[in-house]
Amino acid sequence: MEFKLEAHRIVSISLGKIYNSRVQRGGIKLHKNLLVSLVLRSARQVYLSDPCPGLYLAGPAGSPAVPPPQPGEPAAGPPAGWGEPPPPAAGAAWPEIEPQPERPADPATPRAGDAEPGAPMTGAGETVRGGEVEAAEAAWRRVEGPREAAEGGAGGPAGGSDGFPEGLREARRHCGCPPGAADRPGPLGACPRVDCCCAPRPAEDEPPAPPAVGPRKRGAAGVGGGPAPGSSPLKKPRRNSEEQSGGAAEEEEEEEMETGNVANLISIFGSSFSGLLRKSPGGGREEGEGEESGPEAAEPGQICCDKPVLRDINPWSTAIVAF
Amino acid sequence: MSDSSVSLADIISTVEFNYSGDLLATGDKGGRVVIFQREQENKSRPHSRGEYNVYSTFQSHEPEFDYLKSLEIEEKINKIRWLPQQNAAHFLLSTNDKTIKLWKISERDKRAEGYNLKDEDGRLRDPFRITALRVPKLKPMDLMVEASPRRIFANAHTYHINSISVNSDHETYLSADDLRINLWHLEITDRSFNIVDIKPVNMEELTEVITAAEFHPHQCNVFVYSSSKGTVRLCDMRSSALCDRHSKFFEEPEDPSSRSFFSEIISSISDVKFSHSGRYMMTRDYLSVKVWDLNMESRPVETHQVHEYLRSKLCSLYENDCIFDKFECCWSGSDSAIMTGSYNNFFRMFDRNTRRDVTLEASRENSKPRASLKPRKVCTGGKRKKDEISVDSLDFNKKILHTAWHPAENIIAVAATNNLYIFQDKVN
């Protein structure tokens, strides 16, 4: 649980750094943002792999447990050695980290020339984005999972939340089951309550709903509201005194922090994020198409950062993109 | 001087001795270069031997705005490298994020007087009034040091330039940015030759960047570049035109037990320097300095901990951005010692022969002229002894990123934010 907290905090800090880098003098520093994205990735992996009892156990092969590792993703292995070794369940849940090619981006990569090819880039971008949407949904569902597990009688969404955003309440059925639960096999899929209203659920309620609806509503509710990142320290002392496998209240607080944080981040990002995504990489692609001369000049300086960094911060990025 | 009153533009961003050690150049965030010159030995002022005084100051780079990309280009001087002296004038290369300039620094201590066509104050004389011709004579004048830009090497880097290095052939030099290294001829400004390119076709696959590069001190075909992944590649320009394939690859396997969120950041190499002998090279990462034998790629021959007590504070250092600080390192003239900076205006020296190390502080309160520097110690836990400083009271705003060692003598230059300290061995 401590790993999750720490990881969550680091994710927030990292996103803040990436955001601030946009306004720094001299343009976006590629090196620093690359390092921040690596930290973000590690923190995200820890956050997602930190086991809550029973729920992260590997589902069937088809379950979108983990986004397909992108080529070149560093083998930030299982969080061993970060203090106490995580329980074995985490290892089981975490699919093999493929031994990544040592330096994939590096020497052997055929150089297609410096001019940014407009069309292929777009294609690759779209494909990746598609995969990430899936991953994002998986992440959102998984994130809701712990609440469900510990749920039993904990009082559902209304319980003990200061500023618990509207959106999340709506996204979760009042029985507390995660959206789309019925469609997913395995322990994650089963609604913990027998009398759950969500048992027969039409398929169309599925994927678009959680990431699209949730964040958007969360954004609306969260602007100026929601538990600020500052609320984490307040919750920490209480958390430490509770048992690890503890009550739903604990899980819920955690979820509140996370969503509240996301709400704040989305409100920050929302207004300018689409600009961030479109301006350089998108803009760069469009400009790059058909531009033959001066490959150096054709590459917008900002392209050097936005794309790899933003791709790395899914599921946050995809949620925000949806927003 | 309190931190709030330090003008950002005055922060020193690079320090470099020239080949003889008589000149010391500093660059700052405001784009200025200040050159200090060592006083000549003078019997009437015996104590002034070894003092460095300001020799020349000039504005090297100005802030620019790239309108096409809506990017501001900082004027901060990232690196200065001297050229070997070939005549009375001195030449140096200075670079900001995008443009490298070759500056000529020359002295003028004579002035011609007695022109025919103009008066002493410069007014043109009426030609009809001139009845006799005279030969202008050179008269001594107060020494004037002029700096003039002789070459401007621009528009060759898309990313931020982090290094420049003059080749031992004295005709070429390299410049490195995050993803590419270019080779220049000092006489030619409108073209450069790309010798390393690690930019992936798909930027989403980017995993590492170039952090520093340097030419070998004697072999003009050999250079090295370090990466953000903690590796160093040695390349030979004879093997192929594009040196994407390395000849040697230096990497120390990571210790899995020390893995953390920040392992990648602290393994990123911030500086790489060849020894004067050319047989070794030194790398600086966030917590340590490593000396490598060029003949052994598997691991360094020496590892020196600079401030290991920071390992448990990495999260805070990440929050306040200190973990991204790029410390430099340097060799002594004989390669027997190495030096690098730390926080709280501390800097560290390691003697490779005796295996002893010392921590010293560069601050006005603690150093009077001609007084010896007192070794400092950081208390890492438990009872703090007298004179020790606890880790929590270190001032992380006072960082020493740039240091330089005289090529022949034991004189060191240490840049502490906006102040330059010059220390030397006691001469009896």
Side-chain angles (χ1 to χ4, degrees):
Chain A
M1 229 27 77
E2 291 151 24
F3 297 133
K4 225 177 166 77
L5 263 183
E6 178 79 351
H8 171 257
R9 194 165 142 260
I10 289 175
V11 166
S12 315
I13 293 169
S14 304
L15 287 174
K17 285 188 194 299
I18 292 172
Y19 179 71
N20 286 332
S21 74
R22 299 176 56 220
V23 299
Q24 272 167 7
R25 262 194 98 208
I28 296 176
K29 305 268 187 277
L30 181 60
H31 183 198
K32 181 176 176 187
N33 280 276
L34 178 67
L35 294 177
V36 170
S37 75
L38 293 176
V39 171
L40 202 45
R41 203 184 272 161
S42 303
R44 173 175 69 93
Q45 283 172 343
V46 166
Y47 187 86
L48 297 177
S49 71
D50 198 355
C52 294
L55 283 179
Y56 288 126
L57 291 179
S63 90
V66 150
Q70 300 182 18
E73 199 169 283
W82 282 334
E84 24 173 335
W94 204 247
E96 333 290 327
I97 305 292
E98 286 150 27
Q100 53 138 6
E102 193 86 38
R103 268 150 294 283
D106 213 297
T109 309
R111 284 165 68 239
D114 279 337
E116 298 288 332
M121 281 283 267
T122 315
E126 304 292 25
T127 319
V128 175
R129 196 176 288 192
E132 288 174 14
V133 170
E134 261 185 7
E137 292 151 24
W140 284 122
R141 274 188 232 127
R142 194 182 308 121
V143 140
E144 316 225 316
R147 188 179 294 114
E148 280 35 80
E151 209 275 325
S161 41
D162 32 308
F164 196 83
E166 285 291 339
L168 194 57
R169 259 179 239 145
E170 292 198 39
R172 298 167 51 206
R173 309 279 163 316
H174 60 258
C175 69
C177 299
D183 297 294
R184 287 169 76 236
L188 275 165
C191 297
R193 285 151 59 137
V194 179
D195 57 346
C196 172
C197 64
C198 69
R201 278 200 49 244
E204 66 256 20
D205 279 338
E206 257 280 65
V213 172
R216 205 172 282 137
K217 299 230 164 131
R218 217 173 281 134
V223 171
S231 67
S232 340
L234 290 172
K235 297 204 158 93
K236 227 179 189 165
R238 272 195 288 160
R239 182 174 314 281
N240 286 340
S241 62
E242 285 169 357
E243 287 166 19
Q244 276 250 343
S245 55
E250 183 188 325
E251 312 279 13
E252 252 181 60
E253 282 163 21
E254 181 184 61
E255 290 305 326
E256 287 159 28
M257 275 163 35
E258 172 211 344
T259 53
N261 223 0
V262 171
N264 282 339
L265 285 166
I266 289 173
S267 68
I268 293 172
F269 277 89
S271 55
S272 48
F273 202 89
S274 49
L276 186 69
L277 269 187
R278 234 173 274 128
K279 185 156 68 147
S280 312
R285 281 179 231 145
E286 286 148 34
E287 288 154 18
E289 256 178 286
E291 207 172 328
E292 300 294 323
S293 63
E296 302 292 330
E299 296 164 348
Q302 287 184 10
I303 200 175
C304 62
C305 162
D306 291 348
K307 284 197 67 193
V309 165
L310 296 173
R311 291 278 175 258
D312 289 339
I313 62 175
N314 67 51
W316 308 108
S317 67
T318 341
I320 293 167
V321 164
F323 172 75
Chain B
M1 181 181 298
S2 69
D3 288 325
S4 57
S5 64
V6 171
S7 157
L8 275 178
D10 294 334
I11 295 176
I12 298 171
S13 51
T14 184
V15 183
E16 186 80 356
F17 279 101
N18 73 339
Y19 282 75
S20 65
D22 281 342
L23 295 177
L24 175 67
T26 63
D28 66 22
K29 271 195 169 180
R32 286 170 306 217
V33 172
V34 179
I35 302 178
F36 298 84
Q37 186 186 45
R38 194 176 187 190
E39 287 299 324
Q40 295 308 310
E41 195 162 308
N42 188 335
K43 294 216 170 50
S44 63
R45 295 179 62 213
H47 289 304
S48 73
R49 166 77 170 136
E51 266 180 27
Y52 283 81
N53 296 315
V54 177
Y55 177 65
S56 170
T57 304
F58 58 94
Q59 187 76 31
S60 170
H61 287 72
E62 298 274 2
E64 288 171 53
F65 196 79
D66 181 337
Y67 294 99
L68 194 62
K69 302 173 194 173
S70 285
L71 278 185
E72 190 182 8
I73 300 170
E74 270 192 285
E75 67 277 28
K76 172 169 78 94
I77 308 293
N78 292 335
K79 283 284 169 359
I80 290 175
R81 289 288 182 263
W82 291 92
L83 267 55
Q85 192 173 9
Q86 286 169 335
N87 51 37
H90 299 277
F91 289 86
L92 60 78
L93 288 169
S94 72
T95 185
N96 68 350
D97 282 339
K98 298 283 182 182
T99 304
I100 307 139
K101 295 187 184 180
L102 175 69
W103 288 88
K104 175 181 178 183
I105 295 107
S106 48
E107 291 182 4
R108 190 191 291 206
D109 61 357
K110 297 185 204 17
R111 186 180 66 182
E113 283 179 7
Y115 284 101
N116 290 291
L117 294 178
K118 57 181 180 181
D119 284 342
E120 293 312 314
D121 38 7
R123 275 180 312 182
L124 290 173
R125 290 169 77 191
D126 184 359
F128 294 107
R129 295 269 183 86
I130 299 170
T131 54
L133 281 179
R134 56 189 178 176
V135 177
K137 290 188 168 38
L138 289 175
K139 295 267 169 66
M141 59 178 258
D142 287 340
L143 178 66
M144 198 166 76
V145 182
E146 299 172 320
S148 58
R150 305 303 281 179
R151 306 270 187 277
I152 299 188
F153 305 91
N155 300 322
H157 285 281
T158 307
Y159 303 99
H160 294 131
I161 296 174
N162 52 57
S163 314
I164 48 176
S165 177
V166 181
N167 205 349
S168 49
D169 63 9
H170 302 163
E171 285 185 352
T172 57
Y173 74 95
L174 63 76
S175 58
D177 67 27
D178 292 317
L179 297 178
R180 298 195 176 95
I181 301 180
N182 293 331
L183 181 70
W184 301 84
H185 192 285
L186 284 164
E187 300 292 330
I188 300 169
T189 59
D190 61 354
R191 331 183 256 292
S192 70
F193 194 51
N194 177 244
I195 52 177
V196 172
D197 187 340
I198 64 167
K199 179 175 186 290
V201 170
N202 188 354
M203 276 297 274
E204 293 170 14
E205 294 167 19
L206 181 73
T207 56
E208 68 181 324
V209 298
I210 298 169
T211 53
E214 193 178 57
F215 265 120
H216 190 278
H218 310 311
Q219 297 169 31
C220 58
N221 52 297
V222 171
F223 66 93
V224 292
Y225 68 93
S226 59
S227 87
S228 56
K229 275 193 174 174
T231 63
V232 180
R233 289 172 178 80
L234 184 145
C235 299
D236 186 333
M237 294 195 291
R238 295 173 304 189
S239 58
S240 70
L242 185 65
C243 297
D244 276 357
R245 280 183 208 285
H246 51 262
S247 300
K248 294 197 185 188
F249 181 72
F250 300 83
E251 183 182 35
E252 183 173 30
E254 189 193 350
D255 175 14
S257 67
S258 64
R259 207 161 149 67
S260 76
F261 286 118
F262 309 106
S263 297
E264 281 120 345
I265 301 189
I266 62 170
S267 65
S268 176
I269 291 176
S270 52
D271 194 17
V272 66
K273 291 267 171 48
F274 277 105
S275 65
H276 292 91
S277 63
R279 186 168 159 208
Y280 298 96
M281 70 174 177
M282 166 165 57
T283 58
R284 173 71 155 101
D285 52 68
Y286 190 64
L287 296 179
S288 69
V289 192
K290 297 178 183 175
V291 176
W292 302 77
D293 184 325
L294 291 185
N295 297 317
M296 186 163 79
E297 300 167 53
S298 53
R299 57 186 162 77
V301 291
E302 295 167 28
T303 300
H304 303 277
Q305 301 302 334
V306 180
H307 36 220
E308 181 69 13
Y309 46 79
L310 295 183
R311 193 180 285 274
S312 53
K313 313 256 176 229
L314 293 180
C315 196
S316 320
L317 294 166
Y318 178 70
E319 276 185 79
N320 64 15
D321 270 359
C322 282
I323 206 174
F324 300 104
D325 287 334
K326 296 187 186 176
F327 291 94
E328 292 174 10
C329 53
C330 58
W331 295 85
S332 68
S334 59
D335 297 337
S336 61
I338 57 183
M339 172 168 67
T340 189
S342 178
Y343 293 104
N344 209 69
N345 279 350
F346 287 170
F347 58 99
R348 302 264 283 140
M349 276 196 210
F350 303 91
D351 187 321
R352 300 176 61 220
N353 298 327
T354 64
R355 306 234 175 264
R356 291 210 316 244
D357 60 84
V358 67
T359 304
L360 300 170
E361 182 177 356
S363 77
R364 271 181 233 219
E365 297 83 40
N366 294 317
S367 34
K368 301 184 179 61
R370 280 178 282 287
S372 293
L373 284 178
K374 203 172 61 164
R376 318 290 297 176
K377 194 140 169 26
V378 176
C379 158
T380 52
K383 292 196 83 160
R384 185 176 76 89
K385 301 198 190 92
K386 181 172 177 272
D387 281 352
E388 282 186 358
I389 300 183
S390 77
V391 181
D392 298 311
S393 30
L394 293 175
D395 187 343
F396 290 95
N397 290 319
K398 294 186 182 167
K399 50 193 89 174
I400 292 182
L401 304 174
H402 312 287
T403 59
W405 204 309
H406 190 286
E409 299 182 34
N410 281 344
I411 303 174
I412 57 173
V414 173
T417 317
N418 61 328
N419 292 314
L420 181 72
Y421 291 84
I422 300 178
F423 303 110
Q424 59 182 33
D425 255 1
K426 251 195 157 98
V427 179
N428 293 328

